[in-house]
Amino acid sequence: MADTRAATGLTVQQWDDQFFTEYFQGNEFSELYGTNENSVIQVKENLTKKKGDSVTFALVNRLTQAATTGSATLEGNEEDMVSRSHKVTVDKRRHAVRTSEMEEQASAIGLRDAMKPMLQNWGDENTRDLIITALGSINGVAYASASEANKDAWLADNADRVLFGNAKANNASNDHSAALANVDSTTDVLKRGSIDLMKRMATVASPKIRPVKDPGNGKRYYIVYAHPYAFRDLRSDLEGVLDDTTAAGEAARLFQGGDLMWAGCIIKELLDMPIYSGVGNSSIDVAPVYLLGAQAVGYAIAKRWQSKTKEFDYGDKYGCAIDGIDGFEKLRFGTGTADTDDTKDNGVVTGYFACVADA
């Protein structure tokens, strides 16, 4: 009697599906993913069903017109729902590992299982780096590659959502480098007042930055990411109230162990945040801090992660690869006359704070 065996194709599909699920759940930004406009990182898979190299994300501005009251005529007085768009371009990402038969001594499926943790970790870390790069980007250009003119132009358009240290006056007439040079190591460290100020900037910005709704308790929060040194300074400033912030945070699904809670903001320590060396006052190091609301980042998927295997050297060596087609961008929507004129970062307040290493 012949044994029944699972078809290789089905096994591969199961592995790919599990890999994609764990990839979504495994990185530092996993709790921010969602498919609707309430998500910090809005995910669209439109291109998995049709061809194309970009996905369009939409913003419909809130209605502000006063109500029509009494017997006044409503017809002809409807409000225009102003909408804006942002295209996120996708590209292919892939990586592979391989090993020899003597080291692995397993079937192709066993080999996949053995290599899966390595590829999983790479996928998580690569995605994390792409999101961090997107958050710091200057009108779509990576911060490290942006010119001073690029940064000045971006700052001019986003002055209501960019903070240098703990005073809005540190913005030196939208000169980005001069503003960074105003950040000093004593008054411009991250503290509870910094979070208060960034939150106020988010709520009075034009257009406003919407907080996200926690699916567990229905409350609305902003999410803040900070470099470990900046997080250290905030924790020090919150001494004496940490028990209260932890207790409040535990009720939120967006809150993870080690996070801080202050004034409706959940502050998270992010180990791989960049440091801008020597750009502050007296050549101190400065790091960005990001306060995020809804639709801060767009994540477009054209092809979910898939795996492939290959034999080398007459079957002695086996390789396993993963690839996908996707793209991450900080969402920017126009505020001028035409759709994409005078774009602003939609869901991000960017702060720059002193980031001094431990003595």
Side-chain angles (χ1 to χ4, degrees):
M1 180 180 293
D3 293 338
T4 300
R5 299 180 181 275
T8 302
L10 293 177
T11 306
V12 171
Q13 185 62 47
Q14 291 171 0
W15 191 90
D16 287 342
D17 288 346
Q18 184 181 12
F19 184 96
F20 186 78
T21 300
E22 292 181 359
Y23 156 78
F24 252 83
Q25 297 173 345
N27 68 70
E28 291 92 331
F29 296 98
S30 59
E31 69 270 19
L32 306 187
Y33 290 134
T35 57
N36 60 35
E37 292 79 4
N38 181 60
S39 308
V40 175
I41 301 177
Q42 187 179 1
V43 181
K44 283 184 176 288
E45 293 192 76
N46 303 46
L47 293 182
T48 59
K49 299 179 181 178
K50 60 183 179 181
K51 299 294 184 181
D53 63 356
S54 63
V55 173
T56 299
F57 289 75
L59 171 72
V60 179
N61 290 331
R62 67 190 185 94
L63 301 178
T64 59
Q65 186 171 298
T68 299
T69 59
S71 59
T73 301
L74 178 59
E75 185 175 350
N77 290 305
E78 299 87 354
E79 184 173 353
D80 179 17
M81 292 196 308
V82 178
S83 61
R84 303 283 181 166
S85 67
H86 177 100
K87 285 187 178 181
V88 175
T89 301
V90 299
D91 200 358
K92 190 169 186 175
R93 287 193 287 157
R94 57 179 179 163
H95 196 33
V97 291
R98 68 177 181 176
T99 188
S100 69
E101 184 178 13
M102 286 298 295
E103 293 176 352
E104 183 54 31
Q105 293 197 19
S107 67
I109 302 303
L111 177 65
R112 288 167 181 260
D113 291 339
M115 292 181 166
K116 180 179 174 182
M118 291 183 286
L119 293 170
Q120 177 75 53
N121 289 340
W122 175 84
D124 293 343
E125 292 174 1
N126 186 252
T127 296
R128 174 207 61 209
D129 294 343
L130 289 176
I131 295 174
I132 293 173
T133 298
L135 288 172
S137 63
I138 304 296
N139 288 336
V141 179
Y143 187 90
S145 302
S147 67
E148 182 64 21
N150 294 151
K151 294 173 183 176
D152 291 349
W154 167 79
L155 181 55
D157 286 335
N158 290 274
D160 61 343
R161 57 199 68 211
V162 179
L163 177 65
F164 296 88
N166 284 307
K168 295 177 69 175
N170 283 337
N171 182 350
S173 301
N174 295 328
D175 184 321
H176 191 274
S177 60
L180 284 174
N182 288 331
V183 177
D184 68 50
S185 59
T186 54
T187 60
D188 294 316
V189 297
L190 186 68
K191 48 192 175 182
R192 70 187 83 173
S194 316
I195 303 299
D196 289 335
L197 179 52
M198 292 180 74
K199 180 182 178 181
R200 285 196 301 274
M201 292 177 69
T203 57
V204 302
S206 179
K208 295 180 179 180
I209 295 173
R210 296 181 291 115
V212 294
K213 190 174 184 179
D214 188 285
N217 58 21
K219 294 182 179 179
R220 296 188 178 275
Y221 301 97
Y222 291 106
I223 311 298
V224 180
Y225 282 95
H227 186 280
Y229 294 153
F231 191 85
R232 169 206 62 196
D233 296 334
L234 177 61
R235 178 180 286 276
S236 176
D237 189 60
L238 285 172
E239 288 291 343
V241 296
L242 279 179
D243 290 341
D244 292 337
T245 65
T246 301
E250 286 176 350
R253 290 191 183 181
L254 296 169
F255 188 92
Q256 304 292 325
D259 294 348
L260 300 176
M261 171 79 78
W262 180 255
C265 298
I266 299 173
I267 303 97
K268 299 174 179 289
E269 181 179 21
L270 189 56
L271 302 180
D272 295 277
M273 289 280 277
I275 289 181
Y276 306 137
S277 300
V279 298
N281 186 269
S282 300
S283 299
I284 65 163
D285 295 343
V286 173
V289 172
Y290 302 118
L291 181 145
L292 308 181
Q295 290 184 291
V297 174
Y299 177 21
I301 302 174
K303 187 179 82 170
R304 292 186 170 201
W305 288 107
Q306 293 182 355
S307 62
K308 298 178 176 68
T309 58
K310 185 177 181 180
E311 292 187 1
F312 305 87
D313 195 16
Y314 298 94
D316 180 65
K317 295 178 177 60
Y318 296 87
C320 183
I322 56 169
D323 65 22
I325 301 176
D326 56 15
F328 291 90
E329 289 187 24
K330 179 167 56 174
L331 291 179
R332 309 182 311 279
F333 295 108
T335 59
T337 304
D339 182 13
T340 57
D341 286 352
D342 304 321
T343 59
K344 286 190 176 186
D345 297 348
N346 183 62
V348 185
V349 173
T350 301
Y352 298 98
F353 293 91
C355 196
V356 179
D358 297 325

